[in-house]
Amino acid sequence: VLLASRPAGWVSEQNFRIEDAPLPQPGEGEVLVKNLWLSLDPYMRGRMNEGKSYAARQEIGEVMIGGTAGEVVESRNPKFAKGDKVLGMLGWQQYGLSDGKGLNKVDASRVPLSAYLGVLGMPGVTAWVGLLDICQPKAGETVVVSAASGAVGSVVGQIAKIKGCRAVGIAGGGQKCDYVVKQLGFDACVDYKAGALNDDLKAAVPDGIDCYFENVGGDHLQAALACLNPFGRIAACGMIAAYNQAVPGPDNLFFIVGKKLTIRGFIVSDHAHREPAFRRHVAPLVRSGQLVFSETHRQGIESALDALLDVLRGGRHTGKMVVDL
Amino acid sequence: VLLASRPAGWVSEQNFRIEDAPLPQPGEGEVLVKNLWLSLDPYMRGRMNEGKSYAARQEIGEVMIGGTAGEVVESRNPKFAKGDKVLGMLGWQQYGLSDGKGLNKVDASRVPLSAYLGVLGMPGVTAWVGLLDICQPKAGETVVVSAASGAVGSVVGQIAKIKGCRAVGIAGGGQKCDYVVKQLGFDACVDYKAGALNDDLKAAVPDGIDCYFENVGGDHLQAALACLNPFGRIAACGMIAAYNQAVPGPDNLFFIVGKKLTIRGFIVSDHAHREPAFRRHVAPLVRSGQLVFSETHRQGIESALDALLDVLRGGRHTGKMVVDL
């Protein structure tokens, strides 16, 4: 699947083109990988824009960017052998060729390989770094996370609980909120689709908010600003509400001054040095079942666009969205 | 001058009441101060609101809050003697009684006493802490400050220059911008009243913005976000655009994520421990004339409201606004 044109507003079918190509043959030092799962993530939307982004933008006519988990089918690189399970950024295609750079072998014997695209992969590190390094919550504090049922949010709240905090999610719909509280163990979850986000959030945080992990922006940020305590910290991980259309910012940003808040935007790739610590901490929690995760699977590369749209607009899925290739 | 009612929107005459009262007599441990200058500052507006603020709100029927510089006329406190020049928070009144708490003797032999309300007082510390401690600019970086001709902004840009940075101001009107560049020595100043803030700011910062010192908010913040460099820092000192009316926030807050920005709100009273370092650094610069300042003087306590309104809406004054009592 190639990017055919840059979207104006919401992504649509017209922005993509599916092409068949012969199976590539690995040259000296190269590895041929059969992609088994494609990861769908909010950041993809930003890369499709013309403008300079924090990372190299996706070029038109090239394979759409994306994280993948797969299996080596042919290797002319001494570091990889046929059958190795690997993570990479091989994009929206069934097979990918790699020179080994950015390709990482993983142990899929104790957790499903696809989990390395979610709870043990980029979304997991994002949650962990954003919560622990950026927000630095203390036991007893209140942590709120938007998009709480998603791949990142679900980890944020569970780690917050493990650290002794009160964890409150914001999610869209009663079903997602049930999942967040009953399956993930958050203390509360506010359904923003119920139409009373400001009041409902206020009621869910009797001691105010100390740490806010932002995935959404817009009215979510506005509601959080009203509840944040003095010296509150906001980890700005995403503002998905504004990816496809401009939305006006909160009209209560003066709380940043009055409450002496710190807002820090971050991109997980700047925190790669924290990955070993993340894995040491989180992998045992996942294996023991103390940290739970869910995945939504869509079938076939043709479903990738719909899967991405669900990620961007908040579909009915919970947890990590992957496409089975 | 007492607060008579809480303003809804812009402050007006109806919100104040002038009362005559007999000159108070100091009791044991008390000091009677003749207030010579009253300081007018943006924070006053926030204290007039009903809501919980970061500091105790101004109560109705009490003397309006405000910093003052004056002279001790009678003392029954061993720490103060008649004739001492003192700074305090004695409010909008010609004489004030103090138990000595929060009253500070200053040396007015080498700089005018009123300067302790501005460049060597709260606005100066605010500028110094916000720039050096919050933004932490490095030599060669670009620092932008809004309300650049004001008591705080004028110090921010001059300290930035002393630290080897490019200093760019934003101010309202050609006259103020001339002052900022020619008198204060900024590298450039953008006149937001010229109607092309986004483009003009962009043109004034060819290498982007590394540090943004925010006094205004609204469209100023929007313009700055567009120009900030990755890992840029924003010291949020004030958002005066929103003090009297709600203004929608910037619609480009996603830059906080994409550019990995840090925004930190602060209130100078939390940084009192930095005042000695501030004075050691800045007082010699002021005495030697390396750091210049200006004051706008209004005459008589009846002019205090107009002076406050000018501070809040950006009048034609430059530098520190004081009322000569």
Side-chain angles (χ1 to χ4, degrees):
Chain A
V1 180
L2 313 179
L3 182 67
S5 63
R6 303 202 181 279
W10 285 91
V11 182
S12 81
E13 246 176 273
Q14 277 80 54
N15 304 124
F16 298 96
R17 192 170 71 235
I18 296 189
E19 274 188 12
D20 290 315
L23 200 61
Q25 296 303 313
E28 186 58 34
E30 289 187 327
V31 180
L32 180 66
V33 178
K34 181 173 164 56
N35 295 329
L36 300 170
W37 289 282
L38 169 65
S39 174
L40 280 305
D41 300 281
Y43 76 85
M44 291 170 164
R45 180 62 188 83
R47 300 285 187 95
M48 297 170 79
N49 287 338
E50 178 68 35
K52 191 170 70 175
S53 180
Y54 49 87
R57 69 174 182 209
Q58 164 76 43
E59 292 301 336
I60 288 176
E62 294 191 355
V63 174
M64 179 65 192
I65 199 172
T68 49
E71 190 176 312
V72 173
V73 291
E74 203 178 333
S75 176
R76 296 184 63 190
N77 182 315
K79 291 182 187 149
F80 298 91
K82 194 178 162 174
D84 281 350
K85 302 291 189 280
V86 288
L87 288 181
M89 289 291 293
L90 297 176
W92 296 23
Q93 56 185 349
Q94 289 163 318
Y95 289 85
L97 211 53
S98 166
D99 61 4
K101 236 181 93 176
L103 204 65
N104 293 299
K105 272 193 277 195
V106 292
D107 173 8
S109 64
R110 291 189 290 179
V111 289
L113 177 55
S114 57
Y116 287 97
L117 296 177
V119 63
L120 288 177
M122 184 272 285
V125 188
T126 301
W128 191 86
V129 164
L131 181 66
L132 300 184
D133 291 354
I134 310 273
C135 283
Q136 302 184 21
K138 296 175 200 69
E141 289 191 329
T142 296
V143 172
V144 172
V145 56
S146 54
S149 71
V152 174
S154 58
V155 177
V156 170
Q158 291 184 83
I159 300 281
K161 287 300 295 176
I162 287 166
K163 289 288 174 184
C165 298
R166 175 173 171 82
V168 175
I170 305 175
Q175 206 173 328
K176 283 189 182 178
C177 279
D178 271 359
Y179 167 76
V180 166
V181 172
K182 292 178 187 158
Q183 305 297 314
L184 302 179
F186 284 46
D187 295 286
C189 185
V190 174
D191 172 12
Y192 71 84
K193 289 186 177 168
L197 178 55
N198 291 321
D199 291 343
D200 292 349
L201 182 60
K202 198 173 174 187
V205 294
D207 298 325
I209 302 173
D210 302 293
C211 300
Y212 179 55
F213 191 107
E214 178 63 291
N215 290 308
V216 174
D219 60 348
H220 285 52
L221 181 55
Q222 173 136 2
L225 285 168
C227 296
L228 273 150
N229 290 325
F231 299 105
R233 292 83 71 194
I234 301 177
C237 173
M239 300 221 177
I240 203 165
Y243 289 0
N244 288 283
Q245 60 211 354
V247 294
D251 69 4
N252 60 354
L253 289 178
F254 54 82
F255 280 134
I256 297 172
V257 181
K259 296 180 177 182
K260 303 162 276 196
L261 306 177
T262 299
I263 307 182
R264 196 172 146 206
F266 72 105
I267 303 289
V268 68
S269 51
D270 294 313
H271 302 262
H273 65 284
R274 293 289 281 154
E275 284 186 31
F278 158 77
R279 279 181 216 290
R280 278 194 305 275
H281 182 198
V282 173
L285 297 171
V286 172
R287 286 198 299 265
S288 71
Q290 206 186 333
L291 200 152
V292 303
F293 65 98
S294 70
E295 295 174 347
T296 299
H297 288 255
R298 298 287 166 79
Q299 304 306 314
I301 198 164
E302 300 80 5
S303 66
L305 170 59
D306 274 347
L308 177 59
L309 279 168
D310 269 354
V311 166
L312 290 175
R313 69 189 161 210
R316 277 168 306 174
H317 68 286
T318 53
K320 177 65 199 171
M321 176 71 87
V322 294
V323 164
D324 303 353
L325 293 174
Chain B
V1 179
L2 312 178
L3 183 67
S5 62
R6 302 201 181 281
W10 285 93
V11 181
S12 80
E13 245 176 274
Q14 277 80 55
N15 304 126
F16 298 94
R17 190 172 71 237
I18 297 189
E19 275 188 13
D20 289 313
L23 199 64
Q25 296 302 314
E28 186 58 35
E30 288 186 328
V31 181
L32 179 66
V33 178
K34 180 174 167 54
N35 294 330
L36 300 171
W37 289 282
L38 169 65
S39 175
L40 281 306
D41 301 281
Y43 77 84
M44 292 169 163
R45 179 63 188 83
R47 300 287 186 93
M48 296 170 78
N49 287 337
E50 177 69 35
K52 190 170 70 174
S53 182
Y54 50 87
R57 71 175 179 208
Q58 163 76 44
E59 293 302 338
I60 289 177
E62 295 191 355
V63 173
M64 179 65 192
I65 199 172
T68 48
E71 190 176 311
V72 173
V73 290
E74 201 179 334
S75 176
R76 297 184 62 188
N77 183 314
K79 290 182 189 152
F80 297 91
K82 193 177 165 178
D84 280 351
K85 302 290 189 283
V86 289
L87 288 179
M89 288 291 291
L90 298 177
W92 295 23
Q93 56 185 348
Q94 290 165 315
Y95 289 84
L97 211 53
S98 167
D99 61 4
K101 234 180 98 180
L103 203 65
N104 293 297
K105 272 192 277 191
V106 292
D107 172 7
S109 63
R110 290 188 291 177
V111 289
L113 177 56
S114 58
Y116 288 98
L117 296 176
V119 63
L120 287 178
M122 184 270 284
V125 187
T126 302
W128 190 86
V129 163
L131 181 66
L132 299 184
D133 291 355
I134 310 274
C135 284
Q136 301 183 19
K138 295 175 200 69
E141 289 191 329
T142 296
V143 172
V144 172
V145 56
S146 54
S149 71
V152 174
S154 59
V155 176
V156 170
Q158 291 185 83
I159 300 281
K161 288 298 296 176
I162 287 166
K163 289 288 175 184
C165 299
R166 176 174 169 82
V168 175
I170 305 175
Q175 205 173 330
K176 283 189 182 178
C177 279
D178 269 1
Y179 168 74
V180 165
V181 172
K182 292 178 189 160
Q183 304 297 315
L184 302 178
F186 284 46
D187 295 287
C189 185
V190 173
D191 172 12
Y192 71 83
K193 289 186 175 167
L197 177 57
N198 291 322
D199 291 343
D200 291 348
L201 181 59
K202 199 173 174 187
V205 294
D207 299 325
I209 301 173
D210 302 292
C211 300
Y212 179 55
F213 192 107
E214 179 63 291
N215 290 308
V216 175
D219 60 349
H220 284 52
L221 181 55
Q222 173 136 1
L225 285 168
C227 296
L228 273 149
N229 290 327
F231 300 106
R233 291 86 70 197
I234 301 177
C237 173
M239 300 220 177
I240 203 166
Y243 289 0
N244 288 283
Q245 61 211 354
V247 294
D251 68 4
N252 60 355
L253 288 177
F254 54 83
F255 279 133
I256 296 172
V257 181
K259 297 181 178 183
K260 303 163 279 197
L261 305 178
T262 299
I263 306 181
R264 198 172 146 207
F266 73 105
I267 302 288
V268 69
S269 51
D270 294 312
H271 302 263
H273 65 286
R274 294 288 281 153
E275 284 186 33
F278 158 77
R279 279 182 215 289
R280 277 195 305 275
H281 182 198
V282 173
L285 295 171
V286 171
R287 286 197 299 264
S288 71
Q290 206 185 334
L291 202 152
V292 302
F293 65 98
S294 69
E295 295 173 349
T296 299
H297 288 256
R298 299 285 166 82
Q299 304 307 313
I301 199 162
E302 301 79 6
S303 68
L305 170 59
D306 274 347
L308 177 59
L309 280 169
D310 268 354
V311 166
L312 290 174
R313 69 189 162 209
R316 277 168 304 173
H317 67 288
T318 53
K320 177 63 196 172
M321 176 73 86
V322 294
V323 165
D324 303 353
L325 293 174

